[in-house]
Amino acid sequence: MEWIIQGLQKLSEIKPDALEMVLGDIAHQRPEIFRSLVLIAYVDGNISLSKAAELLGLTRMELQRQLMSAGIPIRSLSEEDVAAEVEMLKRCC
């Protein structure tokens, strides 16, 4: 299994668009796995709550409520979170 992870990492460096397509396929064909990947990235601090919500098609508040009810700790807002919220508001309102 380690070889797959290493291959995906190299693929992301060589052909980032190809990896985006693979992630898109996972999101559509196995949404529960994609959700797990997004939540792992959030818990590990690799993406913000706002980015996680965007990837999952939720608002930050919806995802925050879901995480709280699942007992997953919520990190305080980072500058990235605030910037993502402002950007989302610009696009939708």
Side-chain angles (χ1 to χ4, degrees):
M1 266 320 223
E2 187 67 29
W3 65 271
I4 292 173
I5 295 168
Q6 290 173 353
L8 288 171
Q9 187 172 6
K10 287 182 182 179
L11 182 63
S12 73
E13 296 166 7
I14 298 167
K15 295 184 178 184
D17 291 343
L19 188 58
E20 288 291 326
M21 289 182 354
V22 168
L23 288 174
D25 290 345
I26 292 171
H28 293 314
Q29 295 175 13
R30 300 297 300 264
E32 71 284 356
I33 291 175
F34 183 74
R35 180 178 171 80
S36 294
L37 289 171
V38 170
L39 294 181
I40 288 167
Y42 168 72
V43 169
D44 287 350
N46 295 318
I47 61 173
S48 67
L49 181 64
S50 296
K51 183 63 177 179
E54 177 187 329
L55 290 168
L56 296 174
L58 303 168
T59 67
R60 185 178 55 78
M61 292 305 293
E62 289 171 329
L63 181 56
Q64 187 171 334
R65 279 191 283 273
Q66 290 179 11
L67 295 177
M68 288 173 59
S69 68
I72 298 172
I74 307 299
R75 296 190 319 266
S76 55
L77 286 176
S78 66
E79 287 182 32
E80 181 184 339
D81 287 320
V82 173
E85 285 292 310
V86 168
E87 211 39 53
M88 184 177 68
L89 289 171
K90 285 180 183 177
R91 285 184 288 187
C92 75
C93 304

Coordinates of all heavy atoms in Angstrom, one line a residue:
M1 N 0.8 -1.2 0.0 CA 0.0 0.0 0.0 C 0.9 1.3 0.0 O 0.4 2.3 -0.6 CB -0.9 0.0 1.2 CG -2.3 -0.5 1.1 SD -3.1 -0.2 -0.3 CE -4.7 0.2 0.4
E2 N 2.0 1.2 0.6 CA 2.9 2.4 0.7 C 3.2 2.9 -0.7 O 3.3 4.1 -0.9 CB 4.1 2.1 1.5 CG 5.0 3.2 1.8 CD 4.3 4.3 2.7 OE1 3.5 3.9 3.6 OE2 4.7 5.5 2.6
W3 N 3.4 2.0 -1.6 CA 3.8 2.4 -3.0 C 2.7 3.2 -3.6 O 3.0 4.1 -4.4 CB 4.2 1.1 -3.8 CG 3.0 0.2 -4.1 CD1 2.6 -0.9 -3.3 CD2 2.1 0.3 -5.2 NE1 1.5 -1.5 -3.9 CE2 1.2 -0.8 -5.0 CE3 2.0 1.1 -6.3 CZ2 0.1 -1.1 -5.9 CZ3 0.9 0.8 -7.2 CH2 0.0 -0.2 -7.0
I4 N 1.5 2.9 -3.3 CA 0.4 3.7 -3.9 C 0.4 5.1 -3.4 O 0.3 6.1 -4.1 CB -1.0 3.1 -3.6 CG1 -1.1 1.7 -4.3 CG2 -2.1 4.0 -3.9 CD1 -2.4 1.0 -3.9
I5 N 0.6 5.3 -2.1 CA 0.7 6.6 -1.5 C 1.9 7.4 -2.1 O 1.8 8.6 -2.4 CB 0.8 6.5 0.1 CG1 -0.5 5.9 0.6 CG2 1.1 7.9 0.7 CD1 -0.4 5.5 2.0
Q6 N 3.0 6.7 -2.2 CA 4.2 7.4 -2.8 C 3.9 7.8 -4.2 O 4.3 8.8 -4.7 CB 5.4 6.5 -2.7 CG 5.9 6.3 -1.2 CD 7.0 5.3 -1.1 OE1 7.4 4.6 -2.1 NE2 7.6 5.2 0.1
G7 N 3.3 6.9 -4.9 CA 2.9 7.2 -6.3 C 2.0 8.4 -6.5 O 2.2 9.2 -7.3
L8 N 1.0 8.4 -5.6 CA 0.1 9.6 -5.6 C 0.8 10.9 -5.3 O 0.5 11.9 -5.9 CB -1.1 9.3 -4.7 CG -2.1 8.3 -5.1 CD1 -3.1 8.0 -4.0 CD2 -2.8 8.7 -6.3
Q9 N 1.7 10.8 -4.3 CA 2.5 12.0 -4.0 C 3.3 12.5 -5.2 O 3.3 13.7 -5.5 CB 3.4 11.7 -2.8 CG 4.1 12.9 -2.2 CD 4.8 12.7 -0.9 OE1 4.9 11.5 -0.5 NE2 5.3 13.7 -0.3
K10 N 4.0 11.6 -5.8 CA 4.8 11.9 -7.0 C 3.9 12.4 -8.1 O 4.2 13.4 -8.8 CB 5.6 10.8 -7.5 CG 6.8 10.5 -6.6 CD 7.6 9.3 -7.1 CE 8.8 9.0 -6.2 NZ 9.6 7.9 -6.6
L11 N 2.7 11.8 -8.3 CA 1.8 12.2 -9.3 C 1.3 13.7 -9.1 O 1.2 14.5 -10.0 CB 0.6 11.3 -9.4 CG -0.5 11.6 -10.4 CD1 0.1 11.5 -11.8 CD2 -1.7 10.7 -10.2
S12 N 1.1 14.0 -7.8 CA 0.7 15.4 -7.4 C 1.8 16.4 -7.8 O 1.5 17.5 -8.1 CB 0.4 15.5 -6.0 OG 1.5 15.5 -5.2
E13 N 3.0 16.0 -7.8 CA 4.1 16.9 -8.2 C 4.3 17.0 -9.7 O 4.5 18.1 -10.2 CB 5.4 16.4 -7.6 CG 5.5 16.4 -6.1 CD 6.6 15.6 -5.5 OE1 7.5 15.2 -6.2 OE2 6.6 15.5 -4.2
I14 N 4.1 15.9 -10.4 CA 4.3 15.8 -11.8 C 3.1 16.3 -12.6 O 3.2 17.1 -13.5 CB 4.7 14.4 -12.3 CG1 6.0 13.9 -11.6 CG2 4.8 14.3 -13.8 CD1 6.2 12.4 -11.7
K15 N 1.9 15.8 -12.2 CA 0.7 16.1 -12.9 C -0.4 16.4 -11.9 O -1.3 15.6 -11.6 CB 0.2 15.0 -13.8 CG 1.1 14.6 -14.9 CD 0.6 13.5 -15.8 CE 1.5 13.3 -16.9 NZ 0.9 12.3 -17.8
P16 N -0.4 17.6 -11.3 CA -1.4 17.9 -10.2 C -2.8 17.8 -10.7 O -3.7 17.5 -10.0 CB -1.0 19.4 -9.8 CG 0.1 19.8 -10.7 CD 0.5 18.7 -11.5
D17 N -3.0 18.1 -12.0 CA -4.4 18.0 -12.6 C -4.9 16.6 -12.5 O -6.1 16.3 -12.3 CB -4.5 18.5 -14.0 CG -4.3 20.0 -14.1 OD1 -4.4 20.7 -13.0 OD2 -4.0 20.6 -15.2
A18 N -4.0 15.6 -12.8 CA -4.4 14.2 -12.7 C -4.8 13.8 -11.3 O -5.8 13.1 -11.2 CB -3.3 13.3 -13.2
L19 N -4.1 14.3 -10.3 CA -4.5 14.0 -9.0 C -5.8 14.6 -8.6 O -6.6 14.0 -7.9 CB -3.4 14.4 -8.0 CG -3.6 13.9 -6.6 CD1 -3.7 12.4 -6.5 CD2 -2.5 14.4 -5.7
E20 N -6.1 15.8 -9.1 CA -7.3 16.5 -8.9 C -8.5 15.6 -9.5 O -9.5 15.5 -8.9 CB -7.4 17.9 -9.5 CG -6.5 18.9 -8.8 CD -7.0 19.3 -7.4 OE1 -8.3 19.3 -7.2 OE2 -6.2 19.5 -6.5
M21 N -8.2 15.1 -10.6 CA -9.3 14.2 -11.3 C -9.5 13.0 -10.4 O -10.7 12.5 -10.3 CB -8.8 13.8 -12.7 CG -8.9 15.0 -13.6 SD -8.5 14.7 -15.4 CE -7.9 13.1 -15.5
V22 N -8.4 12.4 -9.9 CA -8.6 11.2 -9.1 C -9.4 11.5 -7.8 O -10.3 10.8 -7.4 CB -7.2 10.6 -8.6 CG1 -7.3 9.6 -7.6 CG2 -6.5 10.0 -9.9
L23 N -9.1 12.7 -7.2 CA -9.9 13.1 -6.0 C -11.3 13.4 -6.4 O -12.2 13.1 -5.6 CB -9.2 14.3 -5.4 CG -7.9 14.0 -4.6 CD1 -7.3 15.3 -4.1 CD2 -8.1 13.1 -3.5
G24 N -11.5 13.9 -7.5 CA -12.9 14.2 -8.0 C -13.7 12.9 -8.2 O -14.9 12.8 -7.8
D25 N -13.0 11.9 -8.7 CA -13.6 10.6 -8.9 C -14.0 10.0 -7.5 O -15.1 9.4 -7.4 CB -12.7 9.6 -9.7 CG -12.5 10.0 -11.1 OD1 -13.3 10.8 -11.6 OD2 -11.6 9.5 -11.7
I26 N -13.1 10.1 -6.6 CA -13.3 9.6 -5.3 C -14.5 10.3 -4.6 O -15.4 9.7 -4.1 CB -12.1 9.7 -4.3 CG1 -11.0 8.7 -4.8 CG2 -12.4 9.4 -2.9 CD1 -9.6 8.9 -4.1
A27 N -14.6 11.6 -4.8 CA -15.6 12.4 -4.2 C -17.0 12.0 -4.8 O -18.0 11.9 -4.0 CB -15.4 13.9 -4.5
H28 N -17.0 11.6 -6.1 CA -18.3 11.3 -6.7 C -18.7 9.8 -6.5 O -19.8 9.5 -6.3 CB -18.3 11.6 -8.2 CG -18.3 13.0 -8.5 ND1 -19.1 14.0 -7.8 CD2 -17.5 13.8 -9.3 CE1 -18.8 15.2 -8.3 NE2 -17.8 15.1 -9.2
Q29 N -17.7 8.9 -6.6 CA -17.9 7.5 -6.5 C -18.0 7.0 -5.0 O -18.7 6.0 -4.7 CB -16.9 6.7 -7.3 CG -17.0 7.0 -8.8 CD -15.9 6.3 -9.6 OE1 -15.2 5.5 -9.1 NE2 -15.8 6.8 -10.8
R30 N -17.2 7.6 -4.2 CA -17.1 7.1 -2.8 C -17.1 8.3 -1.8 O -16.1 8.6 -1.2 CB -15.8 6.3 -2.6 CG -15.7 5.0 -3.4 CD -16.8 4.0 -3.1 NE -16.7 3.5 -1.7 CZ -16.1 2.4 -1.3 NH1 -15.5 1.7 -2.1 NH2 -16.2 2.1 0.0
P31 N -18.2 9.0 -1.8 CA -18.2 10.3 -1.0 C -17.9 10.1 0.5 O -17.3 11.0 1.1 CB -19.7 10.8 -1.1 CG -20.4 9.6 -1.7 CD -19.5 8.7 -2.4
E32 N -18.1 8.9 1.0 CA -17.8 8.7 2.5 C -16.3 8.6 2.6 O -15.7 9.1 3.7 CB -18.4 7.4 3.0 CG -17.9 6.1 2.5 CD -18.3 5.7 1.0 OE1 -19.1 6.4 0.4 OE2 -17.8 4.7 0.5
I33 N -15.6 8.1 1.7 CA -14.1 8.1 1.7 C -13.5 9.5 1.6 O -12.6 9.9 2.3 CB -13.5 7.1 0.7 CG1 -13.9 5.7 1.1 CG2 -12.0 7.3 0.6 CD1 -13.4 4.6 0.1
F34 N -14.1 10.2 0.6 CA -13.7 11.6 0.4 C -13.9 12.4 1.6 O -13.0 13.2 2.1 CB -14.4 12.2 -0.8 CG -13.9 13.6 -1.1 CD1 -12.7 13.8 -1.8 CD2 -14.7 14.7 -0.8 CE1 -12.3 15.1 -2.1 CE2 -14.3 16.0 -1.1 CZ -13.1 16.2 -1.7
R35 N -15.1 12.3 2.3 CA -15.4 13.0 3.5 C -14.3 12.7 4.6 O -13.8 13.6 5.3 CB -16.8 12.7 4.0 CG -17.1 13.4 5.3 CD -18.6 13.1 5.7 NE -18.9 13.6 7.0 CZ -19.2 14.8 7.3 NH1 -19.3 15.7 6.3 NH2 -19.5 15.2 8.5
S36 N -14.0 11.4 4.7 CA -13.0 11.0 5.7 C -11.6 11.7 5.4 O -11.0 12.1 6.3 CB -12.8 9.5 5.7 OG -14.0 8.9 6.2
L37 N -11.2 11.7 4.1 CA -10.0 12.3 3.7 C -10.0 13.8 4.1 O -9.0 14.3 4.6 CB -9.7 12.1 2.3 CG -9.4 10.7 1.8 CD1 -9.4 10.7 0.2 CD2 -8.0 10.3 2.3
V38 N -11.1 14.5 3.8 CA -11.2 15.9 4.1 C -11.1 16.1 5.6 O -10.4 17.0 6.1 CB -12.5 16.5 3.5 CG1 -12.7 17.9 4.1 CG2 -12.4 16.5 2.0
L39 N -11.8 15.3 6.4 CA -11.8 15.5 7.9 C -10.5 15.2 8.5 O -10.0 15.8 9.4 CB -12.9 14.6 8.5 CG -14.4 15.1 8.1 CD1 -15.4 14.2 8.8 CD2 -14.6 16.5 8.4
I40 N -9.8 14.2 7.9 CA -8.4 13.9 8.4 C -7.5 15.1 8.1 O -6.7 15.5 9.0 CB -7.9 12.6 7.7 CG1 -8.6 11.4 8.3 CG2 -6.4 12.5 7.9 CD1 -8.4 10.1 7.5
A41 N -7.6 15.6 7.0 CA -6.8 16.8 6.6 C -7.1 18.0 7.6 O -6.2 18.7 8.0 CB -7.0 17.2 5.2
Y42 N -8.4 18.2 7.9 CA -8.8 19.2 8.8 C -8.2 19.0 10.2 O -7.6 19.8 10.8 CB -10.3 19.4 8.9 CG -10.7 20.3 10.0 CD1 -10.4 21.7 10.0 CD2 -11.2 19.8 11.2 CE1 -10.8 22.5 11.1 CE2 -11.6 20.6 12.3 CZ -11.3 21.9 12.2 OH -11.6 22.7 13.3
V43 N -8.4 17.8 10.8 CA -8.0 17.4 12.1 C -6.5 17.5 12.2 O -5.9 18.0 13.2 CB -8.5 16.0 12.5 CG1 -7.8 15.6 13.8 CG2 -10.0 16.1 12.7
D44 N -5.8 17.1 11.1 CA -4.3 17.2 11.1 C -3.8 18.6 10.9 O -2.6 18.8 11.0 CB -3.7 16.3 10.0 CG -3.8 14.8 10.4 OD1 -4.2 14.5 11.5 OD2 -3.6 14.0 9.5
G45 N -4.7 19.6 10.7 CA -4.2 21.0 10.5 C -3.7 21.3 9.1 O -3.1 22.3 8.9
N46 N -4.0 20.4 8.1 CA -3.5 20.7 6.8 C -4.5 21.6 6.0 O -4.0 22.2 5.0 CB -3.4 19.3 6.0 CG -2.3 18.5 6.6 OD1 -1.2 19.0 7.0 ND2 -2.5 17.2 6.8
I47 N -5.7 21.6 6.4 CA -6.7 22.6 5.7 C -7.5 23.2 6.8 O -7.6 22.7 7.9 CB -7.6 21.9 4.7 CG1 -8.5 20.8 5.3 CG2 -6.8 21.3 3.5 CD1 -9.5 20.1 4.4
S48 N -8.1 24.3 6.5 CA -8.9 25.1 7.4 C -10.3 24.5 7.5 O -10.7 23.7 6.6 CB -9.0 26.5 7.0 OG -9.7 26.7 5.8
L49 N -11.1 24.9 8.5 CA -12.5 24.5 8.6 C -13.3 25.0 7.4 O -14.1 24.3 6.8 CB -13.1 25.0 9.9 CG -14.5 24.7 10.1 CD1 -14.7 23.2 10.3 CD2 -15.0 25.4 11.4
S50 N -13.0 26.2 6.9 CA -13.7 26.8 5.8 C -13.4 26.0 4.5 O -14.2 25.7 3.7 CB -13.3 28.2 5.6 OG -13.7 29.0 6.7
K51 N -12.1 25.6 4.3 CA -11.7 24.8 3.2 C -12.4 23.4 3.2 O -12.9 22.9 2.2 CB -10.2 24.6 3.1 CG -9.7 23.9 1.8 CD -10.1 24.7 0.6 CE -9.6 24.0 -0.7 NZ -10.0 24.7 -1.9
A52 N -12.4 22.8 4.4 CA -13.1 21.5 4.5 C -14.5 21.6 4.2 O -15.1 20.8 3.5 CB -12.9 21.0 6.0
A53 N -15.2 22.6 4.7 CA -16.6 22.8 4.4 C -16.8 23.0 2.9 O -17.7 22.4 2.3 CB -17.1 24.0 5.2
E54 N -16.0 23.8 2.3 CA -16.1 24.1 0.8 C -15.9 22.8 0.1 O -16.7 22.5 -0.9 CB -15.0 25.0 0.4 CG -14.9 25.3 -1.1 CD -13.7 26.1 -1.5 OE1 -13.3 27.0 -0.7 OE2 -13.2 25.9 -2.6
L55 N -15.0 22.0 0.4 CA -14.7 20.7 -0.3 C -15.9 19.7 -0.1 O -16.2 18.9 -1.0 CB -13.5 20.0 0.2 CG -12.2 20.7 -0.2 CD1 -11.0 20.1 0.6 CD2 -11.9 20.5 -1.7
L56 N -16.6 19.8 1.0 CA -17.7 19.0 1.3 C -19.1 19.6 0.9 O -20.1 18.9 1.1 CB -17.8 18.6 2.8 CG -16.6 17.8 3.3 CD1 -16.6 17.7 4.8 CD2 -16.5 16.5 2.6
G57 N -19.0 20.8 0.3 CA -20.3 21.4 -0.1 C -21.2 21.9 1.0 O -22.4 21.9 0.9
L58 N -20.6 22.3 2.1 CA -21.3 22.8 3.3 C -20.8 24.2 3.6 O -19.8 24.6 3.1 CB -21.0 21.9 4.5 CG -21.3 20.4 4.4 CD1 -20.7 19.6 5.5 CD2 -22.8 20.2 4.3
T59 N -21.6 24.8 4.4 CA -21.1 26.1 5.0 C -20.2 25.7 6.2 O -20.3 24.6 6.7 CB -22.3 27.0 5.5 OG1 -22.9 26.4 6.6 CG2 -23.3 27.3 4.4
R60 N -19.4 26.7 6.6 CA -18.5 26.5 7.7 C -19.3 26.2 9.0 O -19.0 25.3 9.7 CB -17.6 27.7 7.9 CG -16.6 27.5 9.0 CD -15.7 28.7 9.2 NE -16.4 29.9 9.5 CZ -16.9 30.3 10.6 NH1 -16.8 29.5 11.7 NH2 -17.5 31.4 10.8
M61 N -20.4 26.9 9.1 CA -21.3 26.6 10.3 C -21.9 25.2 10.3 O -22.0 24.6 11.3 CB -22.3 27.7 10.5 CG -21.8 29.1 10.8 SD -20.7 29.1 12.3 CE -21.9 28.8 13.5
E62 N -22.4 24.8 9.1 CA -22.9 23.4 9.0 C -21.9 22.4 9.4 O -22.2 21.5 10.2 CB -23.4 23.2 7.6 CG -24.7 23.9 7.2 CD -25.0 23.8 5.8 OE1 -24.1 23.7 4.9 OE2 -26.2 23.8 5.4
L63 N -20.7 22.5 8.9 CA -19.7 21.6 9.2 C -19.3 21.6 10.6 O -19.1 20.6 11.3 CB -18.4 21.8 8.3 CG -17.3 20.8 8.5 CD1 -17.8 19.3 8.4 CD2 -16.1 21.1 7.6
Q64 N -19.2 22.8 11.2 CA -18.8 23.0 12.6 C -19.8 22.3 13.5 O -19.5 21.6 14.4 CB -18.8 24.5 12.9 CG -18.3 24.8 14.3 CD -18.0 26.2 14.5 OE1 -17.7 27.0 13.6 NE2 -18.0 26.6 15.8
R65 N -21.1 22.4 13.2 CA -22.2 21.7 13.9 C -22.0 20.2 13.8 O -22.1 19.5 14.8 CB -23.6 22.1 13.5 CG -24.0 23.5 14.1 CD -25.5 23.7 13.8 NE -25.7 24.1 12.4 CZ -25.7 25.4 12.0 NH1 -25.4 26.3 12.8 NH2 -26.0 25.7 10.7
Q66 N -21.7 19.7 12.6 CA -21.6 18.3 12.4 C -20.4 17.8 13.2 O -20.4 16.7 13.8 CB -21.4 17.9 10.9 CG -22.7 18.1 10.1 CD -22.4 17.8 8.7 OE1 -21.4 17.3 8.3 NE2 -23.4 18.1 7.8
L67 N -19.3 18.5 13.2 CA -18.1 18.1 13.9 C -18.3 18.1 15.4 O -17.9 17.1 16.1 CB -16.9 19.0 13.5 CG -16.4 18.9 12.1 CD1 -15.3 19.9 11.8 CD2 -16.0 17.5 11.7
M68 N -19.0 19.1 15.9 CA -19.2 19.2 17.3 C -20.1 18.0 17.8 O -19.9 17.4 18.8 CB -19.9 20.5 17.7 CG -18.9 21.7 17.6 SD -19.7 23.3 17.8 CE -20.4 23.2 19.4
S69 N -21.1 17.7 17.0 CA -22.0 16.6 17.4 C -21.3 15.2 17.3 O -21.7 14.3 18.0 CB -23.3 16.6 16.5 OG -23.0 16.2 15.2
A70 N -20.2 15.2 16.5 CA -19.4 13.9 16.4 C -18.3 13.9 17.4 O -17.5 12.9 17.4 CB -18.9 13.8 14.9
G71 N -18.1 15.0 18.1 CA -17.1 15.0 19.1 C -15.7 15.4 18.6 O -14.7 15.1 19.2
I72 N -15.7 15.9 17.4 CA -14.4 16.3 16.7 C -14.1 17.7 17.1 O -14.9 18.6 17.0 CB -14.5 16.2 15.2 CG1 -14.7 14.7 14.8 CG2 -13.2 16.7 14.5 CD1 -15.0 14.4 13.4
P73 N -12.9 18.0 17.7 CA -12.6 19.3 18.2 C -12.5 20.4 17.0 O -12.1 20.1 15.9 CB -11.2 19.2 18.9 CG -10.7 17.9 18.4 CD -11.8 17.1 17.9
I74 N -13.0 21.6 17.3 CA -13.0 22.7 16.4 C -11.8 23.6 16.7 O -11.7 24.0 17.9 CB -14.3 23.5 16.5 CG1 -15.5 22.6 16.3 CG2 -14.3 24.6 15.4 CD1 -15.6 21.9 15.0
R75 N -11.0 23.8 15.7 CA -9.9 24.8 16.0 C -10.4 26.2 15.8 O -11.4 26.4 15.1 CB -8.7 24.5 14.9 CG -8.1 23.2 15.0 CD -6.9 23.1 14.1 NE -7.0 23.7 12.8 CZ -7.3 23.0 11.7 NH1 -7.6 21.7 11.8 NH2 -7.3 23.7 10.6
S76 N -9.8 27.1 16.5 CA -10.2 28.5 16.4 C -9.9 29.0 15.0 O -9.0 28.5 14.3 CB -9.5 29.4 17.4 OG -8.1 29.3 17.3
L77 N -10.6 30.1 14.6 CA -10.5 30.6 13.2 C -9.1 31.1 13.0 O -8.5 31.8 13.8 CB -11.5 31.7 13.0 CG -12.9 31.3 12.8 CD1 -13.8 32.6 12.6 CD2 -13.1 30.5 11.6
S78 N -8.5 30.7 11.8 CA -7.2 31.2 11.4 C -7.4 32.3 10.4 O -8.5 32.6 10.0 CB -6.4 30.1 10.7 OG -7.0 29.7 9.5
E79 N -6.4 33.0 10.1 CA -6.5 34.1 9.0 C -7.0 33.5 7.7 O -7.8 34.1 7.0 CB -5.1 34.7 8.8 CG -4.7 35.6 9.9 CD -3.3 36.3 9.6 OE1 -3.0 36.6 8.5 OE2 -2.6 36.5 10.6
E80 N -6.6 32.2 7.4 CA -7.0 31.5 6.2 C -8.5 31.3 6.3 O -9.2 31.5 5.3 CB -6.3 30.2 6.1 CG -6.7 29.4 4.9 CD -6.0 28.1 4.8 OE1 -5.0 27.8 5.5 OE2 -6.6 27.2 4.1
D81 N -9.1 30.9 7.5 CA -10.5 30.7 7.6 C -11.2 32.0 7.3 O -12.2 32.0 6.6 CB -10.8 30.3 9.0 CG -10.4 28.8 9.3 OD1 -10.6 28.0 8.4 OD2 -10.0 28.6 10.4
V82 N -10.8 33.1 7.9 CA -11.4 34.4 7.8 C -11.4 34.8 6.3 O -12.4 35.2 5.7 CB -10.8 35.5 8.7 CG1 -11.4 36.9 8.4 CG2 -11.0 35.1 10.1
A83 N -10.2 34.7 5.7 CA -10.1 35.1 4.2 C -11.0 34.2 3.4 O -11.7 34.7 2.4 CB -8.7 34.9 3.8
A84 N -11.1 32.9 3.7 CA -12.0 32.0 2.9 C -13.5 32.4 3.1 O -14.3 32.4 2.1 CB -11.8 30.6 3.3
E85 N -13.8 32.8 4.3 CA -15.2 33.2 4.5 C -15.5 34.5 3.7 O -16.6 34.6 3.1 CB -15.4 33.5 6.0 CG -15.6 32.2 6.9 CD -16.8 31.5 6.6 OE1 -17.9 32.1 6.6 OE2 -16.7 30.3 6.3
V86 N -14.6 35.4 3.7 CA -14.8 36.7 3.0 C -15.0 36.4 1.5 O -15.9 36.9 0.8 CB -13.7 37.7 3.3 CG1 -13.7 38.9 2.3 CG2 -13.7 38.1 4.7
E87 N -14.1 35.5 1.0 CA -14.1 35.2 -0.4 C -15.5 34.5 -0.8 O -16.1 34.8 -1.8 CB -13.0 34.2 -0.7 CG -12.4 34.3 -2.1 CD -12.2 35.6 -2.7 OE1 -11.7 36.6 -2.2 OE2 -12.7 35.7 -3.9
M88 N -15.9 33.6 0.1 CA -17.2 32.9 -0.2 C -18.3 33.9 -0.2 O -19.2 33.8 -1.0 CB -17.5 31.8 0.9 CG -18.7 31.0 0.6 SD -19.0 29.7 1.8 CE -19.3 30.7 3.3
L89 N -18.3 34.9 0.7 CA -19.4 35.9 0.8 C -19.4 36.8 -0.5 O -20.4 37.1 -1.0 CB -19.3 36.7 2.0 CG -19.6 36.0 3.3 CD1 -19.3 36.9 4.5 CD2 -21.1 35.6 3.4
K90 N -18.2 37.1 -1.0 CA -18.1 37.9 -2.2 C -18.7 37.1 -3.4 O -19.3 37.7 -4.2 CB -16.6 38.2 -2.5 CG -16.0 39.2 -1.6 CD -14.5 39.4 -2.0 CE -13.8 40.4 -1.2 NZ -12.4 40.5 -1.5
R91 N -18.5 35.8 -3.4 CA -19.0 35.0 -4.6 C -20.5 34.8 -4.5 O -21.2 34.8 -5.5 CB -18.3 33.7 -4.6 CG -16.9 33.7 -5.1 CD -16.4 32.3 -5.2 NE -16.2 31.9 -3.9 CZ -15.6 30.7 -3.5 NH1 -15.2 29.9 -4.4 NH2 -15.4 30.4 -2.3
C92 N -21.1 34.7 -3.3 CA -22.5 34.3 -3.3 C -23.4 35.5 -3.0 O -24.6 35.4 -3.3 CB -22.7 33.3 -2.2 SG -22.6 33.9 -0.5
C93 N -22.9 36.6 -2.5 CA -23.8 37.7 -2.1 C -23.6 39.0 -2.9 O -22.7 39.6 -3.1 CB -23.6 38.0 -0.6 SG -23.9 36.5 0.4

